[in-house]
Amino acid sequence: MDLLSGLLKLFGKGGKLREVPLRFDLVEMIQIYLKTERALSSFSASEYLFVSQRADRLNRDTVNKVLSKIGIA
């Protein structure tokens, strides 16, 4: 994720690199999260934006479960 350019780079099907533009307000929220809550956690150095309790990346099922719980998915 490049917060300066507002692009999320990820690998799609077949390992193809894709660039997804992020909305400006989302970039701002991520920056606030990184400077506040994330900076105070023991996982502040993780390369992942959202981590599990063991500092592992969240898998697809966990993300879907969280989004369903808060009514987004």
Side-chain angles (χ1 to χ4, degrees):
M1 178 170 32
D2 183 352
L3 296 177
L4 290 176
S5 66
L7 289 175
L8 175 65
K9 296 177 184 180
L10 49 93
F11 290 98
K13 290 183 179 178
K16 185 176 179 181
L17 180 65
R18 303 200 185 275
E19 293 184 344
V20 179
L22 300 173
R23 291 179 13 185
F24 179 74
D25 57 335
L26 178 60
V27 171
E28 285 183 331
M29 285 188 261
I30 292 170
Q31 289 172 332
I32 291 168
Y33 165 73
L34 291 173
K35 290 177 185 175
T36 57
E37 296 173 41
R38 178 67 178 271
L40 300 174
S41 80
S42 58
F43 311 124
S44 60
S46 175
E47 65 181 305
Y48 302 110
L49 180 59
F50 301 110
V51 294
S52 69
Q53 293 176 343
R54 296 173 296 172
D56 296 328
R57 68 185 171 121
L58 297 180
N59 64 35
R60 182 180 310 181
D61 292 335
T62 304
V63 171
N64 286 334
K65 189 184 300 183
V66 169
L67 293 177
S68 292
K69 207 176 222 183
I70 62 174
I72 293 178

